[in-house]
Amino acid sequence: MMKKKVPDWLNSSLWSSPTSSPPSPAITEYTSPVFTPPPQPPSPPPLILQDPPPTQIIQESQSEDPHDAPPSEFDISHQTQLLAELSKKVMDMRELRRIACQGVPDSAGIRSTLWKLLLGYLPPDRGLWSSELAKKRSQYKQFKEEILMNPSEITRKMYNSTIGDADDAKRDRALLSRSEIPHDEHPLSLGKTSVWNQFFQDTEIIDQIDRDVKRTHPDMHFFSGDSKFSKSNQEALKNILIIFAKLNPGVKYVQGMNELLAPLYYVFKNDPDEENATFAEADAFFCFVELLSGFRDNFVQQLDNSVVGIRSTITKLSQLLRKHDEELWRHLEITSKINPQFYAFRWITLLLTQEFNFADSLHIWDTLLGDPEGTQETLLRVCCAMLILIRKRLLAGDFTSNLKLLQNYPSTNISHLLYVANKFRVQSV
């Protein structure tokens, strides 16, 4: 059997990886934000991306804040195109996706607006933005009031609703006497409908969320530290994840969801528009729901071995690698006996947020969210490209060295990575 030859363009000297610091360590209209499988859109005609010339490759950020890097000519060109498209009364979503796949400049709040459009949170018609945002933000406020309320407050509220027009003093008292508390709402009640029983059941999940939120990007002051600003950001992440878990009992909270929420909240909170930044928590919640609607099955343990579960997705990656580089596939899975789950599970479930520094992750997400073929298909192509870009090291390694390399992916040129991933799509057309 003949082995497939790796294309010459893959090893071009034009795509040398720049030196960079290592990544951080690992670890529509809504009637309800509960997961519903998204309808499958008709397959669009193949989208051919314009590859940036080698002299305009976006360099990897060396700083914590992606906004610190000066814009390149490539960024400026993209910004001009995006602003022109975003200024239209009705957006051309296909054109927006085409441009977004090539990267989004970190300026003028473009990424914040664009991600909301790509995730379906904002409609293409600008005239509907104001009313849609007001409705969603009001809905989230109601979720917070109802879901995050302490059971004591719920019990008191239930009591107040039964006393009708009683005088204010009686209505506003803080505590109920023991005889006035309904049996089903007593803190010791084991009734399935008891708000206290549900509260105690939720405590374990809330504690897990709290621990994970505190571990989110410990190298970034935006998420970590004792400042009032970082604490408020942690609180926002925690609120979103708790509300999501309680509204989606079939999924609840799964460790790692905090890493998927972090980029959304960061981008929206850094929107230069003051009103948008103020409502970053509400906007991030609904966009988080939209994002996970395409990945729900990866977080449902009962579906792990099904055709839609995470193991099936990892198998698709293995098949994709075999198609594009059978020699490498055979060395990893047959010779070295490395199960793809050992490294690909984290790559896929966390959308590569733990494999690259934060700025590079945002660049990758521009492509994942913008590609018309869907986030998961694009993600698999990027993962396949990651393997092939380090093929020489992998082919020279054994089980131990290769597994260590794959679980600690080396610094790479993100523009080249996405270029290679797009080549795989073009070859499949």
mmCIF file of all heavy atoms in Angstrom, residues 199-231:
data_model
loop_
_atom_site.group_PDB
_atom_site.id
_atom_site.type_symbol
_atom_site.label_atom_id
_atom_site.label_comp_id
_atom_site.label_asym_id
_atom_site.label_seq_id
_atom_site.Cartn_x
_atom_site.Cartn_y
_atom_site.Cartn_z
ATOM 1 N N PHE A 199 -31.900 23.127 46.805
ATOM 2 C CA PHE A 199 -30.747 23.967 47.132
ATOM 3 C C PHE A 199 -29.563 23.118 47.589
ATOM 4 O O PHE A 199 -28.427 23.304 47.138
ATOM 5 C CB PHE A 199 -31.130 24.964 48.225
ATOM 6 C CG PHE A 199 -29.975 25.768 48.764
ATOM 7 C CD1 PHE A 199 -29.460 26.828 48.044
ATOM 8 C CD2 PHE A 199 -29.412 25.457 49.990
ATOM 9 C CE1 PHE A 199 -28.392 27.569 48.533
ATOM 10 C CE2 PHE A 199 -28.345 26.191 50.487
ATOM 11 C CZ PHE A 199 -27.844 27.254 49.750
ATOM 12 N N PHE A 200 -29.832 22.136 48.460
ATOM 13 C CA PHE A 200 -28.746 21.297 48.963
ATOM 14 C C PHE A 200 -28.195 20.399 47.862
ATOM 15 O O PHE A 200 -27.001 20.096 47.841
ATOM 16 C CB PHE A 200 -29.238 20.469 50.153
ATOM 17 C CG PHE A 200 -29.538 21.292 51.375
ATOM 18 C CD1 PHE A 200 -30.742 21.153 52.067
ATOM 19 C CD2 PHE A 200 -28.623 22.226 51.833
ATOM 20 C CE1 PHE A 200 -31.022 21.920 53.189
ATOM 21 C CE2 PHE A 200 -28.894 23.005 52.958
ATOM 22 C CZ PHE A 200 -30.098 22.844 53.640
ATOM 23 N N GLN A 201 -29.050 19.961 46.934
ATOM 24 C CA GLN A 201 -28.582 19.151 45.820
ATOM 25 C C GLN A 201 -27.671 19.964 44.897
ATOM 26 O O GLN A 201 -26.721 19.428 44.310
ATOM 27 C CB GLN A 201 -29.774 18.613 45.023
ATOM 28 C CG GLN A 201 -30.573 17.528 45.734
ATOM 29 C CD GLN A 201 -31.715 17.002 44.883
ATOM 30 O OE1 GLN A 201 -31.732 17.171 43.672
ATOM 31 N NE2 GLN A 201 -32.682 16.363 45.528
ATOM 32 N N ASP A 202 -27.970 21.242 44.766
ATOM 33 C CA ASP A 202 -27.187 22.099 43.883
ATOM 34 C C ASP A 202 -25.855 22.532 44.495
ATOM 35 O O ASP A 202 -24.965 23.003 43.780
ATOM 36 C CB ASP A 202 -27.987 23.354 43.521
ATOM 37 C CG ASP A 202 -29.189 23.034 42.652
ATOM 38 O OD1 ASP A 202 -29.183 21.963 42.015
ATOM 39 O OD2 ASP A 202 -30.138 23.839 42.617
ATOM 40 N N THR A 203 -25.721 22.402 45.808
ATOM 41 C CA THR A 203 -24.527 22.909 46.497
ATOM 42 C C THR A 203 -23.242 22.303 45.941
ATOM 43 O O THR A 203 -22.240 23.010 45.739
ATOM 44 C CB THR A 203 -24.625 22.632 48.009
ATOM 45 O OG1 THR A 203 -25.761 23.299 48.543
ATOM 46 C CG2 THR A 203 -23.368 23.123 48.726
ATOM 47 N N GLU A 204 -23.253 20.997 45.658
ATOM 48 C CA GLU A 204 -22.043 20.342 45.151
ATOM 49 C C GLU A 204 -21.628 20.925 43.804
ATOM 50 O O GLU A 204 -20.436 21.167 43.562
ATOM 51 C CB GLU A 204 -22.290 18.842 45.023
ATOM 52 C CG GLU A 204 -21.059 18.070 44.576
ATOM 53 C CD GLU A 204 -21.297 16.571 44.513
ATOM 54 O OE1 GLU A 204 -22.357 16.120 45.001
ATOM 55 O OE2 GLU A 204 -20.418 15.861 43.981
ATOM 56 N N ILE A 205 -22.608 21.152 42.917
ATOM 57 C CA ILE A 205 -22.303 21.728 41.611
ATOM 58 C C ILE A 205 -21.786 23.148 41.759
ATOM 59 O O ILE A 205 -20.814 23.542 41.102
ATOM 60 C CB ILE A 205 -23.563 21.715 40.716
ATOM 61 C CG1 ILE A 205 -23.966 20.279 40.396
ATOM 62 C CG2 ILE A 205 -23.322 22.492 39.425
ATOM 63 C CD1 ILE A 205 -25.246 20.164 39.594
ATOM 64 N N ILE A 206 -22.410 23.920 42.633
ATOM 65 C CA ILE A 206 -22.003 25.308 42.837
ATOM 66 C C ILE A 206 -20.577 25.372 43.385
ATOM 67 O O ILE A 206 -19.773 26.222 42.982
ATOM 68 C CB ILE A 206 -22.992 26.023 43.775
ATOM 69 C CG1 ILE A 206 -24.359 26.159 43.089
ATOM 70 C CG2 ILE A 206 -22.465 27.393 44.184
ATOM 71 C CD1 ILE A 206 -25.446 26.707 43.982
ATOM 72 N N ASP A 207 -20.256 24.463 44.290
ATOM 73 C CA ASP A 207 -18.888 24.421 44.838
ATOM 74 C C ASP A 207 -17.873 24.095 43.745
ATOM 75 O O ASP A 207 -16.767 24.657 43.716
ATOM 76 C CB ASP A 207 -18.799 23.386 45.962
ATOM 77 C CG ASP A 207 -19.511 23.838 47.230
ATOM 78 O OD1 ASP A 207 -19.814 25.050 47.327
ATOM 79 O OD2 ASP A 207 -19.777 22.989 48.108
ATOM 80 N N GLN A 208 -18.232 23.167 42.847
ATOM 81 C CA GLN A 208 -17.329 22.814 41.750
ATOM 82 C C GLN A 208 -17.127 24.005 40.817
ATOM 83 O O GLN A 208 -16.015 24.287 40.374
ATOM 84 C CB GLN A 208 -17.888 21.625 40.968
ATOM 85 C CG GLN A 208 -17.025 21.181 39.798
ATOM 86 C CD GLN A 208 -15.693 20.618 40.234
ATOM 87 O OE1 GLN A 208 -15.635 19.628 40.970
ATOM 88 N NE2 GLN A 208 -14.609 21.239 39.804
ATOM 89 N N ILE A 209 -18.222 24.704 40.516
ATOM 90 C CA ILE A 209 -18.131 25.892 39.664
ATOM 91 C C ILE A 209 -17.230 26.939 40.311
ATOM 92 O O ILE A 209 -16.377 27.541 39.651
ATOM 93 C CB ILE A 209 -19.538 26.474 39.401
ATOM 94 C CG1 ILE A 209 -20.334 25.531 38.489
ATOM 95 C CG2 ILE A 209 -19.448 27.865 38.777
ATOM 96 C CD1 ILE A 209 -21.782 25.936 38.301
ATOM 97 N N ASP A 210 -17.404 27.137 41.598
ATOM 98 C CA ASP A 210 -16.604 28.136 42.310
ATOM 99 C C ASP A 210 -15.116 27.797 42.240
ATOM 100 O O ASP A 210 -14.273 28.668 41.987
ATOM 101 C CB ASP A 210 -17.077 28.214 43.767
ATOM 102 C CG ASP A 210 -16.373 29.308 44.544
ATOM 103 O OD1 ASP A 210 -16.528 30.488 44.172
ATOM 104 O OD2 ASP A 210 -15.668 28.998 45.521
ATOM 105 N N ARG A 211 -14.775 26.526 42.432
ATOM 106 C CA ARG A 211 -13.364 26.116 42.373
ATOM 107 C C ARG A 211 -12.802 26.314 40.967
ATOM 108 O O ARG A 211 -11.675 26.800 40.795
ATOM 109 C CB ARG A 211 -13.226 24.641 42.799
ATOM 110 C CG ARG A 211 -13.442 24.382 44.267
ATOM 111 C CD ARG A 211 -12.977 22.989 44.656
ATOM 112 N NE ARG A 211 -13.755 21.948 43.978
ATOM 113 C CZ ARG A 211 -14.874 21.411 44.468
ATOM 114 N NH1 ARG A 211 -15.346 21.823 45.641
ATOM 115 N NH2 ARG A 211 -15.506 20.456 43.813
ATOM 116 N N ASP A 212 -13.578 25.935 39.951
ATOM 117 C CA ASP A 212 -13.078 26.041 38.578
ATOM 118 C C ASP A 212 -12.941 27.488 38.134
ATOM 119 O O ASP A 212 -11.981 27.844 37.437
ATOM 120 C CB ASP A 212 -14.019 25.298 37.623
ATOM 121 C CG ASP A 212 -13.915 23.787 37.776
ATOM 122 O OD1 ASP A 212 -13.002 23.328 38.483
ATOM 123 O OD2 ASP A 212 -14.756 23.064 37.197
ATOM 124 N N VAL A 213 -13.876 28.330 38.528
ATOM 125 C CA VAL A 213 -13.806 29.741 38.154
ATOM 126 C C VAL A 213 -12.557 30.389 38.744
ATOM 127 O O VAL A 213 -11.880 31.185 38.082
ATOM 128 C CB VAL A 213 -15.080 30.488 38.611
ATOM 129 C CG1 VAL A 213 -14.868 32.005 38.583
ATOM 130 C CG2 VAL A 213 -16.266 30.111 37.718
ATOM 131 N N LYS A 214 -12.222 30.043 39.957
ATOM 132 C CA LYS A 214 -11.033 30.609 40.596
ATOM 133 C C LYS A 214 -9.741 30.143 39.929
ATOM 134 O O LYS A 214 -8.707 30.793 40.066
ATOM 135 C CB LYS A 214 -11.016 30.238 42.082
ATOM 136 C CG LYS A 214 -12.087 30.966 42.884
ATOM 137 C CD LYS A 214 -12.079 30.540 44.345
ATOM 138 C CE LYS A 214 -13.146 31.288 45.130
ATOM 139 N NZ LYS A 214 -13.219 30.844 46.547
ATOM 140 N N ARG A 215 -9.816 29.024 39.196
ATOM 141 C CA ARG A 215 -8.625 28.506 38.502
ATOM 142 C C ARG A 215 -8.576 28.965 37.042
ATOM 143 O O ARG A 215 -7.640 28.601 36.318
ATOM 144 C CB ARG A 215 -8.618 26.976 38.540
ATOM 145 C CG ARG A 215 -8.399 26.373 39.911
ATOM 146 C CD ARG A 215 -8.024 24.901 39.791
ATOM 147 N NE ARG A 215 -9.143 24.093 39.327
ATOM 148 C CZ ARG A 215 -9.866 23.303 40.117
ATOM 149 N NH1 ARG A 215 -9.593 23.232 41.405
ATOM 150 N NH2 ARG A 215 -10.840 22.576 39.622
ATOM 151 N N THR A 216 -9.539 29.750 36.609
ATOM 152 C CA THR A 216 -9.597 30.171 35.209
ATOM 153 C C THR A 216 -8.493 31.177 34.904
ATOM 154 O O THR A 216 -8.418 32.237 35.514
ATOM 155 C CB THR A 216 -10.972 30.805 34.900
ATOM 156 O OG1 THR A 216 -12.004 29.862 35.202
ATOM 157 C CG2 THR A 216 -11.071 31.203 33.435
ATOM 158 N N HIS A 217 -7.630 30.843 33.973
ATOM 159 C CA HIS A 217 -6.526 31.703 33.522
ATOM 160 C C HIS A 217 -5.858 32.432 34.697
ATOM 161 O O HIS A 217 -5.930 33.663 34.805
ATOM 162 C CB HIS A 217 -7.040 32.711 32.499
ATOM 163 C CG HIS A 217 -7.487 32.079 31.217
ATOM 164 N ND1 HIS A 217 -6.616 31.538 30.299
ATOM 165 C CD2 HIS A 217 -8.730 31.875 30.707
ATOM 166 C CE1 HIS A 217 -7.294 31.031 29.282
ATOM 167 N NE2 HIS A 217 -8.564 31.211 29.502
ATOM 168 N N PRO A 218 -5.191 31.687 35.557
ATOM 169 C CA PRO A 218 -4.550 32.305 36.729
ATOM 170 C C PRO A 218 -3.446 33.288 36.370
ATOM 171 O O PRO A 218 -3.007 34.067 37.219
ATOM 172 C CB PRO A 218 -3.995 31.098 37.494
ATOM 173 C CG PRO A 218 -3.823 30.030 36.454
ATOM 174 C CD PRO A 218 -4.943 30.237 35.480
ATOM 175 N N ASP A 219 -2.982 33.267 35.102
ATOM 176 C CA ASP A 219 -1.926 34.173 34.671
ATOM 177 C C ASP A 219 -2.473 35.509 34.182
ATOM 178 O O ASP A 219 -1.693 36.398 33.818
ATOM 179 C CB ASP A 219 -1.111 33.514 33.553
ATOM 180 C CG ASP A 219 -1.988 33.104 32.376
ATOM 181 O OD1 ASP A 219 -3.173 32.788 32.600
ATOM 182 O OD2 ASP A 219 -1.489 33.099 31.232
ATOM 183 N N MET A 220 -3.793 35.687 34.183
ATOM 184 C CA MET A 220 -4.400 36.925 33.682
ATOM 185 C C MET A 220 -5.096 37.667 34.819
ATOM 186 O O MET A 220 -5.964 37.110 35.498
ATOM 187 C CB MET A 220 -5.408 36.611 32.565
ATOM 188 C CG MET A 220 -4.783 36.027 31.315
ATOM 189 S SD MET A 220 -6.008 35.669 30.017
ATOM 190 C CE MET A 220 -6.644 37.322 29.665
ATOM 191 N N HIS A 221 -4.730 38.922 34.999
ATOM 192 C CA HIS A 221 -5.332 39.722 36.069
ATOM 193 C C HIS A 221 -6.821 39.937 35.834
ATOM 194 O O HIS A 221 -7.572 40.208 36.779
ATOM 195 C CB HIS A 221 -4.623 41.078 36.171
ATOM 196 C CG HIS A 221 -3.187 40.983 36.582
ATOM 197 N ND1 HIS A 221 -2.784 40.327 37.718
ATOM 198 C CD2 HIS A 221 -2.045 41.447 35.995
ATOM 199 C CE1 HIS A 221 -1.463 40.396 37.834
ATOM 200 N NE2 HIS A 221 -0.989 41.060 36.791
ATOM 201 N N PHE A 222 -7.246 39.822 34.609
ATOM 202 C CA PHE A 222 -8.672 39.993 34.302
ATOM 203 C C PHE A 222 -9.507 38.940 35.033
ATOM 204 O O PHE A 222 -10.598 39.229 35.515
ATOM 205 C CB PHE A 222 -8.885 39.868 32.792
ATOM 206 C CG PHE A 222 -10.319 40.046 32.355
ATOM 207 C CD1 PHE A 222 -10.806 41.301 32.024
ATOM 208 C CD2 PHE A 222 -11.181 38.953 32.256
ATOM 209 C CE1 PHE A 222 -12.128 41.470 31.612
ATOM 210 C CE2 PHE A 222 -12.499 39.112 31.856
ATOM 211 C CZ PHE A 222 -12.964 40.377 31.532
ATOM 212 N N PHE A 223 -8.987 37.716 35.142
ATOM 213 C CA PHE A 223 -9.727 36.624 35.757
ATOM 214 C C PHE A 223 -9.249 36.282 37.159
ATOM 215 O O PHE A 223 -9.992 35.689 37.934
ATOM 216 C CB PHE A 223 -9.604 35.352 34.898
ATOM 217 C CG PHE A 223 -10.248 35.450 33.549
ATOM 218 C CD1 PHE A 223 -9.476 35.534 32.395
ATOM 219 C CD2 PHE A 223 -11.629 35.454 33.411
ATOM 220 C CE1 PHE A 223 -10.063 35.608 31.145
ATOM 221 C CE2 PHE A 223 -12.223 35.535 32.161
ATOM 222 C CZ PHE A 223 -11.442 35.614 31.027
ATOM 223 N N SER A 224 -8.006 36.586 37.463
ATOM 224 C CA SER A 224 -7.413 36.093 38.699
ATOM 225 C C SER A 224 -6.879 37.239 39.554
ATOM 226 O O SER A 224 -6.480 38.282 39.037
ATOM 227 C CB SER A 224 -6.280 35.119 38.366
ATOM 228 O OG SER A 224 -5.689 34.605 39.528
ATOM 229 N N GLY A 225 -6.870 37.010 40.854
ATOM 230 C CA GLY A 225 -6.335 38.016 41.768
ATOM 231 C C GLY A 225 -7.377 38.468 42.769
ATOM 232 O O GLY A 225 -8.524 38.017 42.776
ATOM 233 N N ASP A 226 -6.960 39.382 43.617
ATOM 234 C CA ASP A 226 -7.834 39.864 44.690
ATOM 235 C C ASP A 226 -8.416 41.243 44.411
ATOM 236 O O ASP A 226 -9.043 41.834 45.290
ATOM 237 C CB ASP A 226 -7.046 39.909 46.011
ATOM 238 C CG ASP A 226 -6.599 38.520 46.452
ATOM 239 O OD1 ASP A 226 -7.371 37.569 46.226
ATOM 240 O OD2 ASP A 226 -5.484 38.399 47.012
ATOM 241 N N SER A 227 -8.193 41.772 43.230
ATOM 242 C CA SER A 227 -8.727 43.097 42.923
ATOM 243 C C SER A 227 -10.251 43.038 42.796
ATOM 244 O O SER A 227 -10.829 41.981 42.508
ATOM 245 C CB SER A 227 -8.131 43.626 41.614
ATOM 246 O OG SER A 227 -8.589 42.871 40.499
ATOM 247 N N LYS A 228 -10.885 44.168 42.995
ATOM 248 C CA LYS A 228 -12.345 44.236 42.883
ATOM 249 C C LYS A 228 -12.785 43.881 41.466
ATOM 250 O O LYS A 228 -13.819 43.222 41.264
ATOM 251 C CB LYS A 228 -12.808 45.657 43.250
ATOM 252 C CG LYS A 228 -14.319 45.837 43.236
ATOM 253 C CD LYS A 228 -14.700 47.240 43.660
ATOM 254 C CE LYS A 228 -16.215 47.423 43.629
ATOM 255 N NZ LYS A 228 -16.608 48.807 44.034
ATOM 256 N N PHE A 229 -11.979 44.293 40.492
ATOM 257 C CA PHE A 229 -12.325 44.031 39.092
ATOM 258 C C PHE A 229 -12.305 42.533 38.788
ATOM 259 O O PHE A 229 -13.257 41.986 38.216
ATOM 260 C CB PHE A 229 -11.338 44.763 38.185
ATOM 261 C CG PHE A 229 -11.581 44.564 36.717
ATOM 262 C CD1 PHE A 229 -12.744 45.010 36.119
ATOM 263 C CD2 PHE A 229 -10.630 43.916 35.934
ATOM 264 C CE1 PHE A 229 -12.969 44.826 34.762
ATOM 265 C CE2 PHE A 229 -10.839 43.732 34.575
ATOM 266 C CZ PHE A 229 -12.020 44.187 33.989
ATOM 267 N N SER A 230 -11.229 41.839 39.183
ATOM 268 C CA SER A 230 -11.143 40.405 38.907
ATOM 269 C C SER A 230 -12.202 39.629 39.688
ATOM 270 O O SER A 230 -12.770 38.651 39.178
ATOM 271 C CB SER A 230 -9.752 39.874 39.238
ATOM 272 O OG SER A 230 -9.461 40.019 40.611
ATOM 273 N N LYS A 231 -12.488 40.069 40.914
ATOM 274 C CA LYS A 231 -13.527 39.402 41.703
ATOM 275 C C LYS A 231 -14.888 39.535 41.040
ATOM 276 O O LYS A 231 -15.694 38.589 41.031
ATOM 277 C CB LYS A 231 -13.571 39.989 43.119
ATOM 278 C CG LYS A 231 -12.364 39.657 43.976
ATOM 279 C CD LYS A 231 -12.305 38.181 44.322
ATOM 280 C CE LYS A 231 -11.186 37.880 45.284
ATOM 281 N NZ LYS A 231 -11.057 36.424 45.561
#
